[in-house]
Amino acid sequence: MIDFTTSRRTFLKNSSVSSLSLWLAPNAPETSAPSSLPISPQPFIDPSPALALDLSPAKWIWYPMQRCLPNTVVLFRKELNLPSKPRSAKGYIIGDSRYLFFTNGQRIQFGPAPSDPRWTEADPLDLTNHLNAGTNVLGAQVLFYGHGDGTWPVGKPGFIFKIDIEFANGNTLQVISDGTWQTLIARSWPPGHYKRWYLRAFQEEFDARHYPHKWYTTEYVPFEEWLLAQELNNPANKPPINSTFNEYALDISGRVEASQLRSRSIPLLKENLVSVTKLAESMTVRWKRSPQEYFEFGTPDAYVVQRLPCVVSSTPQSWTVNVDKDRGAILTFELKEQVVGFPYFTIDAPSGTIIELMVQEAHLVGGEPLLNTKFNSWTRFICRTGTNRFETFDYESLRWLQLHIHGSEGQAVVSNVGVRRRQYPWPNPAQVQCSDAKIQKVLEAAINTLHNSCQETIVDGMARERQQYSGDCGHQIHSLQNTFGDRLLHARFINTYSQGITLDGYFLDAWPAFDRLARVMERQVGLTPWGPLLDHGVGFNFDCWYYYLYTGDKLALTEVMPRLVKFFNYLLKLRASNGLLPVENLGVPTVWIDHDAYKKQRHKQCAFNLYTAAMMQKAFAPLCDAMGMSDLGNKARAVGNEIQATTVKLFWSSARGMFINNLPWIAEEKEERICDRSLATAILYDQCPEGITKFCVKTLANPPANLGLSYPANANWRYWALAKAGNVQPIIDDFRTRWYGMESVAENNTLAETWHVRHDTTQQWSHCPVAPLFVTYMGLAGIQPLSPAFKKAQIRPQLGDLDQLSLINYTTQGAILFSATGKLGNRTLEVSLPQGCEAELVVPVAEELKSLPAIGQPTNGLRKYRLTSGRTHTFILKTI
């Protein structure tokens, strides 16, 4: 039980807000405007210069070269003599594609956040506590991907640095990147190395024998191969994509007038060291072919496994194995839960000893011997003489860490195995507790999943793509807002995702990332079924509306809104002669909508058109109104109404009282296809003719065999619809059964991509389907905004058979504290509202809460009561 006796948390308030409830919002104003109404959006406010950054007089620098091979690592070194310890030393740093920065031998930070190459964000840097009087050494280790990556679409090499130092006596000093910095190509990582897989650029291979150890310390003396840096021809207020450096692999260039270097818009991630819990198994492998060939090409029948333990001695934190030229020792370690971060270990072994570090989300002890079973997720390290501490340069998603040790003769001692975990620094801890142990376990798995999937971008799963989607992945924004009270990551999401708008007007549904750039050219010549997903673009309009709904911040939408207008215009041009949006033969884009109900692509047309109509009416139109474009808002409502009416005409079955996905072709197909997405959308956005929803609700509550159900990441649609209909028990039952039954919940403390996943495969054990968490807030506690910035909220508690539920919902006005205890018929509800937030309590008419002022007359069997801001309200519920 959450202790609500503590003082209410204060929360930094954003600027004025406008918001509506997700499914109980007042209907948007209707209009009789004809669909031919001209579109003439009002002028936009100029984008805020708050993120613009000019690092002059610093220079963009790189190693002197005429071309940069993919996966090249360049070291940058600068000695700095200071008269005294600084009082302040702050500035900015960025390296394309990724950097690791050191000061006086200490690791400082890794960056930057994934960005559109036209609007790259530089990281803040605070060296106040890391610089001393006398000689100091600054060091940056910068990797240029070159190959496309799930976190990096394209770019050009470059590094820039600037800090302003202030001393106690008031004197100042500015340190910048320029041609005086020393640089070295770090051949410990072979330049031009192949990429790991389609969406991972860096297949890391590190040879410690070629690394200039301690190069970022004061005791190191640079040798003659270090060269002075080349200053790049690129302004200090522009990203490196604008430089004149020849990007030989793709021949790309940026438009200076359309690009901008920006300051980081979210906090730096926090890091903490997490040790493995145990050595789960060890064994020996005898190689029939070379290990190098196996890891490069996956040659079958390359080794024979001997499953006898290979550890000859051990302590609680170290393990000794024998190695020789023909055999490899395998050590497989287990973590308490799945994490995202940088795996590390220490090894004492002969010079030339080779270690492949492999990671997996899920492994069965006694199953696959080598964990090279997930998109080539291995990193190779080669030892120098003495003690070696190795850590991957890029981050991984894992619960299992395996070391394959080979290539030398003698003993190797492994110790200090773990992961430098990286997490977003949420402004508030998640606080939600439920009396049902199974549901509580699912909620905790959802929270850990968010730690893994929401870092600098909002992704589906860090073990596979690491790239940012809208659509099913965008649903995570509700938990960012309500569970953690974070606004910045949501704001960055809508901005960075919107930057992937194409010339035609559709969104690259994975952005910023390499994926959909590649898909565009592949689709042009018919080499892939995958194209930019239009339904994700539709969902992105909702993501933007929810941002405004939760925060009311218009400033973050000034750059985004023109892109939404462009997408709206694209959809208008896409409409077929019957007024509907097609789902086939679209050219480069495609329509996904992920049910198992669709035997044919055309079966998706009903759900897609209901979804798009709702977007135009309930998301895009009110955003237009908020941004001063009422004519366009009226146009959007009119088009949405037309699409809805035509969808009803073609797909609504009066006999069945629901939408049938293949109704126009049912005579031909001889079977009925229905899906949860069509039915849920119709309920949520009042699209059922004459308000007839009972058959849709019944079907969602007790799914028949022919009801196509969404994957976990979109399961929330069904739950939202059931909550609106006042039928939450099927939701609670699903949490206890299907969700708790996920293998990942028990083993990894995460939620998986599909309902059941297998070990030692490429299946995703930590994905983005956190519906149980935000549906608990929005559906069971029933907390949603009704007016700008939660100045007015709705609270509609629906507890089903739960004996207790308590949570804190963080809003822009402050924290709403919710606690319900007791069984059905005698349940105590306590709600504490922050100052500035009034609420409507929505309960069945049978409750008759005489101590509270009623609002209006009952509708649909529900009555509303007024709750006052800044107060704690306690009452007894009999019927819910």
Side-chain angles (χ1 to χ4, degrees):
M1 174 72 70
I2 297 174
D3 182 6
F4 289 137
T5 61
T6 57
S7 60
R8 181 181 292 111
R9 296 174 180 271
T10 58
F11 197 92
L12 181 63
K13 295 183 179 180
N14 290 347
S15 56
S16 61
V17 194
S18 178
S19 58
L20 288 178
S21 161
L22 173 65
W23 60 75
L24 290 177
N27 289 329
E30 298 295 337
T31 177
S32 58
S35 61
S36 59
L37 184 71
I39 300 172
S40 54
Q42 299 297 318
F44 287 98
I45 302 170
D46 289 337
S48 168
L51 294 180
L53 186 65
D54 189 344
L55 296 183
S56 301
K59 306 293 184 182
W60 284 97
I61 60 175
W62 197 247
Y63 186 86
M65 59 174 64
Q66 295 184 17
R67 71 171 184 172
C68 187
L69 301 179
N71 287 331
T72 292
V73 177
V74 175
L75 308 181
F76 296 89
R77 188 178 192 274
K78 179 71 173 179
E79 288 193 9
L80 181 63
N81 289 294
L82 301 180
S84 62
K85 184 175 179 58
R87 180 166 61 189
S88 175
K90 297 180 180 181
Y92 285 92
I93 181 175
I94 187 172
D96 194 328
S97 308
R98 296 292 179 264
Y99 72 85
L100 182 59
F101 186 75
F102 305 89
T103 299
N104 295 330
Q106 181 180 353
R107 176 189 173 120
I108 303 299
Q109 66 190 45
F110 173 89
S115 299
D116 187 301
R118 297 164 294 181
W119 296 284
T120 301
E121 295 184 8
D123 292 333
L125 185 65
D126 188 348
L127 299 181
T128 304
N129 297 323
H130 303 287
L131 296 177
N132 306 304
T135 302
N136 296 265
V137 172
L138 310 176
Q141 183 173 292
V142 183
L143 164 68
F144 178 64
Y145 279 145
H147 299 300
D149 185 269
T151 64
W152 185 88
V154 293
K156 288 186 178 182
F159 170 71
I160 194 167
F161 174 96
K162 177 184 177 182
I163 59 169
D164 292 298
I165 300 175
E166 181 181 346
F167 299 96
N169 61 5
N171 291 341
T172 61
L173 175 67
Q174 192 172 78
V175 182
I176 61 172
S177 52
D178 57 19
T180 66
W181 284 57
Q182 296 174 300
T183 68
L184 179 73
I185 294 178
R187 293 193 172 273
S188 40
W189 295 274
H193 205 48
Y194 50 83
K195 67 188 300 184
R196 176 185 283 188
W197 85 289
Y198 171 52
L199 291 174
R200 286 297 297 268
F202 195 36
Q203 184 84 74
E204 183 174 8
E205 182 172 331
F206 175 81
D207 191 335
R209 297 170 299 181
H210 304 308
Y211 187 67
H213 292 271
K214 299 184 178 181
W215 64 273
Y216 43 74
T217 67
T218 57
E219 60 189 276
Y220 179 81
V221 178
F223 53 89
E224 60 184 10
E225 290 190 18
W226 285 80
L227 300 179
L228 292 179
Q230 169 190 359
E231 293 185 359
L232 301 176
N233 181 18
N234 192 52
N237 64 344
K238 300 292 180 180
I241 195 75
N242 295 124
S243 79
T244 57
F245 187 91
N246 177 37
E247 205 299 285
Y248 82 102
L250 293 173
D251 192 29
I252 56 175
S253 61
R255 294 172 54 224
V256 173
E257 68 277 10
S259 301
Q260 183 184 63
L261 183 65
R262 297 180 165 182
S263 58
R264 186 180 176 102
S265 55
I266 54 173
L268 291 166
L269 298 195
K270 63 179 183 179
E271 298 179 344
N272 65 290
L273 303 184
V274 177
S275 297
V276 296
T277 57
K278 64 179 180 180
L279 174 67
E281 62 181 339
S282 72
M283 64 192 78
T284 301
V285 58
R286 180 176 62 81
W287 287 95
K288 298 164 64 177
R289 304 191 65 81
S290 75
Q292 183 173 359
E293 178 183 302
Y294 165 78
F295 283 103
E296 286 176 339
F297 303 109
T299 310
D301 194 29
Y303 59 83
V304 175
V305 175
Q306 297 174 322
R307 291 196 177 269
L308 297 176
C310 66
V311 176
V312 296
S313 64
S314 66
T315 70
Q317 294 297 323
S318 68
W319 301 267
T320 302
V321 298
N322 290 324
V323 294
D324 58 43
K325 296 290 186 181
D326 300 319
R327 295 181 303 165
I330 298 176
L331 304 177
T332 306
F333 298 94
E334 185 177 351
L335 292 158
K336 178 182 177 182
E337 63 184 0
Q338 187 162 346
V339 303
V340 171
F342 308 89
Y344 61 77
F345 66 97
T346 298
I347 186 169
D348 285 283
S351 178
T353 300
I354 301 170
I355 307 98
E356 277 89 21
L357 182 154
M358 287 162 275
V359 298
Q360 239 300 0
E361 294 182 273
H363 171 62
L364 275 180
V365 174
E368 289 289 334
L370 287 172
L371 297 193
N372 186 30
T373 52
K374 203 172 193 74
F375 308 111
N376 305 302
S377 295
W378 59 265
T379 297
R380 178 174 291 132
F381 298 102
I382 304 174
C383 294
R384 66 184 181 117
T385 301
T387 300
N388 295 261
R389 186 191 182 281
F390 292 125
E391 181 170 330
T392 63
F393 179 84
D394 214 339
Y395 53 88
E396 309 283 0
S397 183
L398 69 153
R399 184 170 170 257
W400 297 84
L401 188 160
Q402 185 180 81
L403 303 178
H404 168 236
I405 308 167
H406 63 104
S408 64
E409 299 280 350
Q411 284 195 336
V413 181
V414 174
S415 61
N416 190 31
V417 183
V419 179
R420 185 188 300 272
R421 186 174 192 180
R422 67 195 314 253
Q423 290 178 264
Y424 187 85
W426 307 111
N428 300 283
Q431 298 196 55
V432 54
Q433 291 184 344
C434 170
S435 57
D436 189 291
K438 291 182 177 179
I439 295 177
Q440 183 64 31
K441 177 64 177 172
V442 170
L443 296 176
E444 292 169 358
I447 291 168
N448 190 51
T449 298
L450 285 166
H451 292 327
N452 294 338
S453 62
C454 295
Q455 299 201 340
E456 293 160 319
T457 47
I458 298 174
V459 309
D460 62 347
M462 289 291 188
R464 184 177 62 195
E465 286 151 298
R466 308 195 306 168
Q467 58 196 28
Q468 184 169 260
Y469 290 96
S470 178
D472 44 12
C473 299
H475 299 316
Q476 297 173 93
I477 61 177
H478 299 292
S479 290
L480 307 189
Q481 294 277 354
N482 297 327
T483 306
F484 297 110
D486 184 74
R487 320 294 175 215
L488 297 178
L489 193 56
H490 191 173
R492 187 177 196 273
F493 165 68
I494 63 171
N495 187 270
T496 56
Y497 185 91
S498 75
Q499 291 164 353
I501 190 78
T502 61
L503 293 175
D504 287 337
Y506 55 82
F507 289 101
L508 298 172
D509 63 291
W511 194 256
F514 172 70
D515 187 354
R516 288 313 190 257
L517 280 183
R519 298 305 189 196
V520 168
M521 64 180 180
E522 292 165 4
R523 288 283 291 178
Q524 290 286 353
V525 290
L527 296 179
T528 180
W530 297 104
L533 307 181
L534 290 184
D535 42 309
H536 281 222
V538 172
F540 180 61
N541 279 261
F542 281 106
D543 297 334
C544 295
W545 170 241
Y546 295 144
Y547 176 77
Y548 183 59
L549 182 154
Y550 286 121
T551 71
D553 175 20
K554 296 181 183 180
L555 190 61
L557 289 161
T558 53
E559 291 185 4
V560 178
M561 197 65 198
R563 296 159 184 160
L564 298 183
V565 172
K566 189 171 185 177
F567 179 67
F568 174 70
N569 288 330
Y570 171 81
L571 294 178
L572 294 187
K573 292 184 290 184
L574 197 64
R575 294 174 72 190
S577 58
N578 66 356
L580 291 188
L581 293 161
V583 295
E584 300 176 283
N585 304 316
L586 296 170
V588 172
T590 58
V591 172
W592 169 226
I593 301 187
D594 65 55
H595 312 195
D596 56 12
Y598 307 131
K599 286 190 174 181
K600 298 182 178 179
Q601 179 70 13
R602 67 188 182 184
H603 294 166
K604 300 179 180 181
Q605 190 171 34
C606 177
F608 181 57
N609 277 271
L610 290 176
Y611 189 33
T612 305
M615 175 273 285
M616 292 179 177
Q617 299 159 336
K618 308 294 187 180
F620 181 66
L623 274 174
C624 290
D625 295 341
M627 302 299 286
M629 298 184 296
S630 57
D631 286 350
L632 185 56
N634 291 336
K635 169 69 173 179
R637 290 186 187 92
V639 174
N641 292 342
E642 292 173 0
I643 293 174
Q644 177 179 321
T646 305
T647 307
V648 168
K649 181 179 179 181
L650 292 178
F651 293 96
W652 176 260
S653 169
S654 298
R656 298 280 280 111
M658 66 176 67
F659 286 94
I660 308 298
N661 292 347
N662 65 336
L663 188 60
W665 317 286
I666 200 165
E668 169 194 340
E669 296 181 0
K670 305 289 192 293
E671 63 177 346
E672 182 182 272
R673 309 299 298 177
I674 57 177
C675 70
D676 63 349
R677 188 67 176 274
S678 296
L679 304 186
T681 302
I683 293 170
L684 286 170
Y685 300 108
D686 304 315
Q687 295 170 321
C688 296
E690 301 177 7
I692 299 172
T693 62
K694 64 178 182 179
F695 299 108
C696 296
V697 173
K698 181 180 178 181
T699 301
L700 292 177
N702 301 286
N706 69 331
L707 177 67
L709 293 173
S710 297
Y711 298 151
N714 269 322
N716 51 283
W717 291 104
R718 173 174 169 249
Y719 300 150
W720 278 339
L722 287 171
K724 179 181 179 181
N727 191 352
V728 300
Q729 195 58 47
I731 303 173
I732 295 170
D733 292 341
D734 257 18
F735 290 177
R736 289 192 181 112
T737 54
R738 287 206 299 167
W739 290 90
Y740 181 74
M742 279 187 178
E743 295 84 355
S744 63
V745 171
E747 296 185 33
N748 288 31
N749 194 29
T750 55
L751 300 177
E753 182 176 22
T754 53
W755 295 111
H756 291 289
V757 283
R758 292 178 291 113
H759 301 79
D760 297 299
T761 66
T762 58
Q763 291 184 317
Q764 299 302 285
W765 283 58
S766 184
H767 197 247
C768 67
V770 294
L773 184 59
F774 61 80
V775 169
T776 295
Y777 279 75
M778 303 169 71
L780 303 188
I783 302 173
Q784 297 186 64
L786 288 177
S787 67
F790 266 100
K791 292 179 181 178
K792 187 175 183 180
Q794 173 189 275
I795 300 176
R796 185 187 175 186
Q798 300 183 83
L799 283 302
D801 64 2
L802 294 178
D803 293 340
Q804 180 264 329
L805 175 66
S806 58
L807 54 84
I808 298 180
N809 192 115
Y810 298 100
T811 80
T812 49
Q813 300 302 319
I816 296 176
L817 312 182
F818 176 98
S819 176
T821 58
K823 295 183 180 297
L824 181 63
N826 186 24
R827 183 169 279 144
T828 300
L829 179 64
E830 181 177 296
V831 176
S832 181
L833 297 176
Q835 287 288 347
C837 175
E838 292 186 348
E840 293 180 356
L841 178 68
V842 181
V843 295
V845 291
E847 288 296 339
E848 294 187 4
L849 302 175
K850 296 181 180 179
S851 62
L852 295 175
I855 304 173
Q857 297 298 315
T859 57
N860 299 320
L862 299 173
R863 188 190 302 275
K864 298 177 182 179
Y865 295 93
R866 180 173 291 109
L867 302 181
T868 306
S869 72
R871 289 184 52 191
T872 297
H873 303 265
T874 305
F875 33 83
I876 304 298
L877 300 175
K878 301 292 186 181
T879 67
I880 53 176

